[in-house]
Each structure stands twice: as structure tokens, then as C-alpha cells.
Amino acid sequence: MERKWILKNSADPEKVSRLGTELGIDRVLAELLVQRGVETFEEARKFFRPSLDDLHDPFLMKDMDKAVDRLTQAVSSREKILVYGDYDVDGTTAVALVFSFLRQLTPEIDFYIPDRYDEGYGVSLKGIDWAAENGFNLIITLDCGIKAIEKAAYAKSKGIDMIICDHHLPENELPAAVAVLDPKREDCHYPFDDLCGCGVGFKLVQGYARRHGIPFERLEPLLDLLVVSIASDLVTMVGENRVLSHYGLKRLNEAPRKGLLAMINLAKLEEGHVTIDDIVFKIGPRINAAGRMESGRLAVELLTAEDDTTAYAIGEQINVNNNDRKNIDREITREALEMVADGTALVSGSATIVYNPEWSKGVVGIVASRLVEAYYRPTVVLTKSNGFVTGSARSIQGFDLYEAIESCADILENFGGHVYAAGLTLKEENLDEFCRRMDAFVTAKLDPESLTPVIDLDAKMDFSQITPKFFRILKQFQPFGPGNYNPVFLTEDVYDAGNARKVGAGGIHLKLDLMQESQPYRQIPAIAFNMADSFDHIKAGNPIDVCYSIVENFYRGNSTLQLRLKDIKQRNEFI
């Protein structure tokens, strides 16, 4: 797929020059900092040295005092507490975090993860009934509950209080819970509103600890769970998330919990050198696979395991789930791509909507992402479960998919999510109308120019600028994520040293050793995923322009620098 490269406008040269001089760093690095709003020595110090002292007071969050009061009452009175969360990475890490903390304070605690296929997303009547039957007095929901108006009322009728911890957009009416913690509430003035669900759960734990004089050091073992959630849920890597991720990565690499260490080993990652990318592409999908293929409860059991044997046994089971998930989503993706190609998709114009009642509900979100990669259109992938059409939607840069789905609210049974990812459920008789409305909404709102994917380039430079000092400072920009992505650089007129080869299953990737005429004796290793189409051109010795991020590879204790190519263009194609 053709991609448009856009080089960012240069930052204010005076600010760049001043900051570069103050810090004694390369102009490119100074420009990257100014692009990120870092303009002074003090701001740079805070950026490069995140501090736990910069975490916000949890009691700035609306209803935190009520939540801590009710939790205090439950713990002191030995009431039974049920920690309830969604079945994805954010939900299961959140449940593991809150459960791990509270079980140190009371034995009267358990957790509940709804079944994706039987109960669906969010708080379920079945879950509330189970809580009532087993004598629970308090339910703490995590990564769900903000729309559970009827469910909260039902729980109350059963004599069960609820504390809701969520980060999704609320509607006008809030559930009648004891406390509703959600930084996206209009009446909540918490200074940072992009916490993940696990992050909101952590603030509840932090609030309880502060109220009862529990030192923050007691909470630090929970931070490995939090960074897994922040990275996997793709919330912005700025502000409080960046501080928590920095210390979470430190914990994950120095003293991970038993379950996460099992995942690190099973994913064949280098202990002590796990990155945000490793979480996003290796650890997160494995944890997700439990809820997709079997039960999200398995993920919480892994993340709360207290001995190596248990952790590794559950980890191996989840690894099998992940392999099964890969096989299923590969087959469903093939079928979905064929539908679009042969015209049997429900919609295949400005949007893509495909439906097969036989598809596995657990992988439709992944398939939607694959279709976005292939066609770069807002995409909805639907299947059938429990008598309803249900599915997941994924968007493209700059298009608010949640708004599109919300415009169909009157014909939906349920929906929720974010700007770029959402889930929905509807009756089959409303499917044609849903498709018609979605297609019309997307066509009316979508700028045709946005249908060409864009790669934003942070800076243009030569390979000669990639010095050990440059890379040492660049690494300190981590952790990377939305709002603080790994910078993408443009280098023009490069060529392969003669070692270009296809790698990966089916030879779909390229491994290269790139050079520039100005430095003919320096070769920089590069990997280009899914770019084997360029092999013949490169192998013939033709010059190319490349855009890339710089990464560090660890293998058997050795560290090497590598360029991860985002795109390749033949010379003179760059616009």
C-alpha cells in the first residue's frame, strides 16, 4: 500500500539552538524535544528523569473519598469483596493489581472475569447473581461499569454495593454506585484523564494506601502489571502514564512477578531488556489470548501466581491459547479479505463491514485491525453470539469511529470503546440498517485524502549522525507510545551493501545492511517487515530512501543497533 511521507515542520530554531546548547546535545535531538513541548533545561530534566513524586493526589479524582471510605468499611468489617474486570489485558491486569493488593489486607476477597462468549463485555447479570449467591457485599469493577446503569441498580436490589473504576466515556447518566471513578467524567477535574482501566484501579489502591499510612514502596510491586496495561491499551505515553510506565518497566526488568516472568521466558524475550514493543507485540497478545480462546480468569490466575511452577504451567497453557488464536485469526482474516475482494462484504466503499455468523467472537478485533492494514478504511467485523450480531470496529488516523457507531445507538443493543477501537452488539434484523447508516456516516465525514496512510517523519538526517552518544540520549526518550512515539527519521539515497535477504515465514520480510556514499565503510543493520516486494530493486544495488526508527536488539547478552524500516521508496518518489 502506498504511504504518504510528511516531514514535520521544523521547531522554532531559536528554542532548538538554546536547548541544544544548554543540554550539550545534537540539533536533531534538541528538535525532537522541542516537538514534544520540552523547551527548557528543567523540563528536559523532568522528561529524562521521571519521578514518582510527580504522580497526582488520587483524592483529586471525583468520588475517590467515597470509594476509599466504602473500601475501608468493607476491609475493617470483613465483608466479602469481589474484584470484577473485563477479559482483555487492561481488565485482567487491573483485576490482578487490585486483588493482589487487597488480599494482603483481607482474606474475604475473590475475583470474577465474565466469559466473553456467554456474558459478553462489561458487568453481567450472571456475575451479579454469582456474587449474591456467594455472599459478596461489595463489587469493585475495573475497566468496565461506566454504562452499567441497570446492572448497578440490580446489584443494589441484591444488597450489593458497587465501586466503579473505568476509563471509558460515560453517558449523561451515571450508574447509581457508591462511587464512580472515571477521569473522563465531565464533573471530574483530575489533572490527567487518559489513564487506562488498570491505572484507575491503581489510583484507588494509592488512595487507600495514602488514607491508611501504607508506604508507597508497598505499591511498587504492582507497577509491572500497570506498564503491561498502559502499553497494551495504547493510552498516551505522557504525563502520569509515562511516569508509571518508566517505573513499571524498571520493575518488569528487575523483579517481575512470577506470571510475567513466565510470559517473558515463553515469549523468548531477553530478561532484563523487555521494552514497550515487547509488551505490545509479545506479552500483551498472550495475556489477551486467555480471554479470546478460553477464559480471562486464566490470565488473572497467571498474574497472581505465587510460585514458579504454577506460573509456568498456566503460562504454557496461555501460550497454547495464543498459538490457537493465531491459527484462527489467520484463517478468518483470509476469509474476510476474500469477501472484500469478491464483493460479498456488506460494505466495502469508504468503510469496510464484513459478517459471518460462524466466526470466533474472540478474534474479530484482531481481524478488523488486519483489514485496516490491508485497505485502510474504518472497519467493522461482525459475527453471531448468543442470538445477537456482535463484533469489533477499528478506525484509521483522524476518524472518530466511536462517534460513527454512537450515531446508530438507537438500533444497537450495546456499544462502547474509544475513538479508534470499539465493540457493538445488535439484533440481526437491524444489520442492514446499521450498514446503511455506517456507510453513509463514514462517506459524509471522511476526507478522501485521509484514505492514504501517512507516515509522519520527525527529522531528516544522515547515517553519520547516528553516533553512540546520539543513540544513548535517544534511548532516554523511552518509554515510547502514543504522544511520545519512537521518532521516525528520513535518510535519503542509501543502498544495501550486498547482503539483502528475505526472512520470515514465506520470506515476507527483508534484512538489509544499509550504507550511504558519504560513509561507504559503515553498514547499519535494518529490518523491513512485510516489504519483500522491494527485494529485487534493492538487491540490484539501486538507491532508495528509507524512513525508520532506531531500536536496540538484545540477543544472548549482546546489544546491537538496528534500523526498523517503516517504509521504502525508490529514489525521487519522496513527496
Side-chain angles (χ1 to χ4, degrees):
M1 180 184 295
E2 187 66 23
R3 294 170 175 82
K4 186 176 182 179
W5 298 7
I6 297 180
L7 187 61
K8 290 180 182 176
N9 293 328
S10 296
D12 184 323
E14 185 177 327
K15 291 178 179 178
V16 171
S17 177
R18 183 173 62 247
L19 186 63
T21 300
E22 287 181 358
L23 300 178
I25 60 174
D26 179 279
R27 179 195 60 81
V28 171
L29 292 168
E31 180 142 354
L32 293 175
L33 288 171
V34 175
Q35 286 175 356
R36 285 159 172 72
V38 177
E39 299 180 0
T40 67
F41 183 91
E42 181 58 26
E43 288 171 345
R45 187 193 62 77
K46 292 189 73 170
F47 181 79
F48 286 127
R49 301 286 183 270
S51 171
L52 291 169
D53 292 337
D54 292 330
L55 295 181
H56 303 302
D57 180 348
F59 289 96
L60 294 174
M61 191 176 293
K62 181 76 173 178
D63 277 5
M64 182 61 75
D65 53 344
K66 297 177 183 177
V68 171
D69 286 347
R70 183 63 185 89
L71 184 54
T72 297
Q73 177 189 327
V75 171
S76 61
S77 302
R78 301 288 290 266
E79 296 179 63
K80 293 189 74 173
I81 304 169
L82 185 65
V83 185
Y84 186 115
D86 191 21
Y87 38 67
D88 68 359
V89 179
D90 192 17
T92 53
T93 53
V95 168
L97 186 151
V98 174
F99 178 79
S100 295
F101 176 75
L102 291 180
R103 72 176 171 184
Q104 301 174 63
L105 307 175
T106 174
E108 301 298 331
I109 186 164
D110 202 348
F111 63 86
Y112 189 97
I113 305 292
D115 183 270
R116 180 189 292 265
Y117 300 94
D118 180 39
E119 297 167 79
Y121 168 78
V123 182
S124 70
L125 295 176
K126 182 177 178 180
I128 294 171
D129 285 340
W130 186 88
E133 290 162 8
N134 288 277
F136 287 91
N137 310 101
L138 176 65
I139 295 176
I140 301 172
T141 76
L142 295 154
D143 191 34
C144 61
I146 197 63
K147 294 185 177 182
I149 295 167
E150 294 177 1
K151 309 294 173 51
Y154 182 70
K156 193 171 183 178
S157 74
K158 295 275 189 178
I160 300 172
D161 287 337
M162 291 179 71
I163 295 172
I164 292 172
C165 302
D166 205 344
H167 70 128
H168 296 96
L169 286 167
E171 294 180 340
N172 293 331
E173 183 183 357
L174 295 175
V178 170
V180 178
L181 304 180
D182 188 332
K184 290 188 174 69
R185 284 179 60 168
E186 281 193 11
D187 59 348
C188 180
H189 303 298
Y190 189 72
F192 186 74
D193 70 354
D194 202 31
L195 293 168
C196 58
C198 187
V200 179
F202 179 78
K203 299 309 292 189
L204 172 61
V205 164
Q206 187 189 6
Y208 185 95
R210 181 171 293 192
R211 171 76 62 82
H212 295 280
I214 298 171
F216 191 88
E217 289 73 20
R218 288 267 301 276
L219 308 186
E220 289 181 4
L222 305 172
L223 296 181
D224 57 356
L225 290 168
L226 193 45
V227 71
V228 169
S229 177
I230 290 169
S232 300
D233 216 47
L234 298 177
V235 289
T236 51
M237 195 64 75
V238 300
E240 203 162 31
N241 283 341
R242 189 164 187 272
V243 174
L244 292 167
S245 293
H246 174 86
Y247 287 94
L249 273 178
K250 182 177 171 66
R251 186 81 193 184
L252 187 63
N253 282 304
E254 294 178 359
R257 64 189 51 238
K258 306 288 187 183
L260 288 176
L261 181 59
M263 284 288 91
I264 289 168
N265 291 327
L266 288 163
K268 296 180 170 56
L269 298 174
E270 191 87 1
E271 282 187 45
H273 298 288
V274 178
T275 67
I276 292 293
D277 275 359
D278 292 330
I279 295 171
V280 172
F281 296 110
K282 298 291 182 68
I283 297 174
R286 282 171 166 78
I287 295 173
N288 250 336
R292 293 185 190 280
M293 306 305 298
E294 191 169 344
S295 169
R297 186 173 181 90
L298 199 62
V300 180
E301 289 171 352
L302 169 79
L303 298 172
T304 57
E306 296 184 293
D307 63 88
D308 293 325
T309 303
T310 301
Y312 209 84
I314 299 172
E316 285 187 316
Q317 189 175 347
I318 287 177
N319 221 31
V320 170
N321 287 338
N322 190 51
N323 290 331
D324 291 344
R325 185 272 305 168
K326 286 180 182 176
N327 293 331
I328 291 171
D329 90 56
R330 193 178 295 120
E331 178 61 22
I332 294 176
T333 297
R334 184 190 62 76
E335 293 175 8
L337 289 169
E338 286 180 359
M339 283 183 172
V340 179
D342 65 20
T344 56
L346 298 179
V347 173
S348 58
S350 299
T352 301
I353 303 179
V354 291
Y355 171 56
N356 183 328
E358 302 302 319
W359 285 340
S360 169
K361 180 183 176 183
V363 301
V364 291
I366 299 171
V367 175
S369 295
R370 302 269 192 270
L371 293 185
V372 171
E373 290 172 9
Y375 296 108
Y376 206 67
R377 300 286 190 273
T379 298
V380 185
V381 178
L382 299 166
T383 185
K384 199 166 188 178
S385 178
N386 293 329
F388 291 96
V389 174
T390 186
S392 292
R394 299 292 183 269
S395 194
I396 61 174
Q397 186 174 344
F399 184 78
D400 189 338
L401 185 67
Y402 185 87
E403 181 187 16
I405 292 172
E406 190 175 37
S407 72
C408 304
D410 60 303
I411 56 170
L412 299 177
E413 298 301 302
N414 192 17
F415 69 96
H418 308 285
V419 171
Y420 292 115
L424 63 146
T425 301
L426 67 156
K427 294 177 180 175
E428 193 158 22
E429 58 260 35
N430 291 327
L431 180 57
D432 288 343
E433 176 66 8
F434 171 75
C435 291
R436 186 193 67 76
R437 287 203 211 173
M438 281 292 290
D439 191 37
F441 187 96
V442 174
T443 300
K445 293 276 189 175
L446 196 64
D447 180 352
E449 284 197 9
S450 66
L451 295 177
T452 300
V454 170
I455 298 177
D456 291 314
L457 310 178
D458 292 272
K460 178 179 175 180
M461 65 180 190
D462 292 330
F463 287 164
S464 60
Q465 294 173 264
I466 306 175
T467 63
K469 179 182 178 182
F470 178 93
F471 187 53
R472 186 173 67 252
I473 297 171
L474 183 64
K475 285 193 295 184
Q476 295 178 52
F477 280 59
Q478 299 181 62
F480 294 126
N484 183 44
Y485 282 113
N486 194 347
V488 179
F489 302 106
L490 163 67
T491 301
E492 297 176 319
D493 201 10
V494 306
Y495 58 94
D496 181 71
N499 302 318
R501 60 194 185 278
K502 296 180 182 179
V503 296
I508 60 173
H509 313 310
L510 293 180
K511 287 204 80 171
L512 310 169
D513 290 305
L514 296 179
M515 305 172 64
Q516 277 187 298
E517 289 286 358
S518 58
Q519 285 188 303
Y521 301 108
R522 186 186 185 194
Q523 301 176 15
I524 302 184
I527 183 76
F529 294 113
N530 301 305
M531 297 185 206
D533 289 349
S534 298
F535 177 75
D536 291 337
H537 179 83
I538 294 171
K539 190 68 175 175
N542 293 307
I544 54 175
D545 296 339
V546 292
C547 62
Y548 56 90
S549 292
I550 306 173
V551 299
E552 190 172 19
N553 272 348
F554 290 94
Y555 183 67
R556 293 181 178 176
N558 295 317
S559 166
T560 57
L561 181 150
Q562 185 183 63
L563 307 184
R564 184 173 294 164
L565 302 193
K566 303 290 185 181
D567 201 12
I568 296 169
K569 289 189 185 294
Q570 298 179 19
R571 288 292 291 144
N572 302 321
E573 287 186 0
F574 175 64
I575 300 175

